[in-house]
Amino acid sequence: MSFYSAWIFPFFLDLVMRDRPFTRFRKQVLEGLSGHVLEIGVGTGLNLPHYPDSVVRLSVLDPNPGMSGFLKRRMKRTRIPIESHTLSAEQLPFADHTFDAVVSTWTLCSIPDVSAALSDVYRVLKPGGEFRYVEHGLAPDANVRKWQHRLNGIQNVIADGCHLNRDIPALIRAAGFDMRTADAAHVPKRPKIVGYFYTGIAIKSP
């Protein structure tokens, strides 16, 4: 892992992702969760204060050890028992049908093999379990898409592997999920190439 990835990017990420619009989306995607929950791509732990009391156990993971300083401080201020892992989501170290829900917030953009990760998320969910997500991705506007494709390589470098041009709903459906709710829109006051957000709940078939 590069010096930039381990030491500089975590500070940059934590600063940017603390902004108020992101907090609103976090609260929305976590509302009503319960039971044993897995969060992939936990990053610096900005979701932790927003998990409801009905979550009795939380497992979190992130491949970047540079996030751990921020994450550990936020874990100490969280009443939910938390198990943390430093790894990516392509090969989850959990048994089949372990979790009531899996959460992903602005994570699917940066997983190297996102299809493998979503397949493993499906595997570890209980039948009827929820995959809750808020992600940025491929916009519907042809001109915006053009620039997303053009600037994707630069974004990969600046944002530590982040892709601008992933079709999030298509990837989720391809992993076998059924969409319960699905919304998408440009977020005001955000550059359009990074500001098209997908939110929703996908279900593992009972």
Side-chain angles (χ1 to χ4, degrees):
M1 179 168 287
S2 70
F3 178 85
Y4 174 79
S5 295
W7 296 100
I8 298 175
F9 182 69
F11 288 93
F12 169 74
L13 180 72
D14 193 71
L15 178 64
V16 171
M17 300 301 287
R18 288 201 306 260
D19 204 3
R20 186 176 298 174
F22 292 104
T23 300
R24 176 170 59 85
F25 279 102
R26 294 179 197 283
K27 291 178 178 179
Q28 176 185 326
V29 78
L30 300 177
E31 183 179 7
L33 282 172
S34 62
H36 188 185
V37 176
L38 169 66
E39 181 177 341
I40 61 172
V42 67
T44 61
L46 287 166
N47 285 341
L48 297 185
H50 306 296
Y51 277 96
D53 292 341
S54 48
V55 173
V56 298
R57 185 180 174 193
L58 183 60
S59 298
V60 301
L61 58 89
D62 197 280
N64 187 342
M67 305 289 183
S68 63
F70 293 96
L71 177 60
K72 287 177 181 177
R73 288 193 291 273
R74 291 188 172 112
M75 285 173 61
K76 289 179 181 178
R77 299 195 294 266
T78 304
R79 59 137 206 100
I80 303 169
I82 301 175
E83 174 187 55
S84 178
H85 302 267
T86 303
L87 49 84
S88 191
E90 289 94 339
Q91 292 183 312
L92 298 173
F94 308 108
D96 296 358
H97 317 312
T98 296
F99 298 98
D100 298 290
V102 178
V103 171
S104 174
T105 59
W106 302 284
T107 295
L108 299 182
C109 61
S110 60
I111 299 174
D113 190 344
V114 66
S115 296
L118 284 167
S119 293
D120 226 27
V121 165
Y122 191 92
R123 177 185 65 80
V124 302
L125 269 171
K126 295 177 181 178
E130 298 180 340
F131 175 60
R132 296 198 179 195
Y133 63 92
V134 51
E135 303 284 347
H136 74 91
L138 194 65
D141 316 65
N143 191 53
V144 177
R145 286 184 182 221
K146 178 177 69 177
W147 284 102
Q148 286 179 315
H149 294 312
R150 284 179 177 176
L151 298 176
N152 193 58
I154 296 172
Q155 176 75 0
N156 269 211
V157 175
I158 295 172
D160 200 33
C162 173
H163 291 73
L164 296 169
N165 56 357
R166 285 184 171 172
D167 187 338
I168 300 300
L171 288 165
I172 294 171
R173 290 190 181 96
F177 287 98
D178 297 319
M179 292 294 195
R180 173 183 289 173
T181 65
D183 295 300
H186 283 293
V187 178
K189 300 180 181 179
R190 299 282 161 186
K192 287 193 173 182
I193 61 168
V194 294
Y196 194 74
F197 282 12
Y198 295 94
T199 61
I201 301 174
I203 305 298
K204 178 176 179 175
S205 300

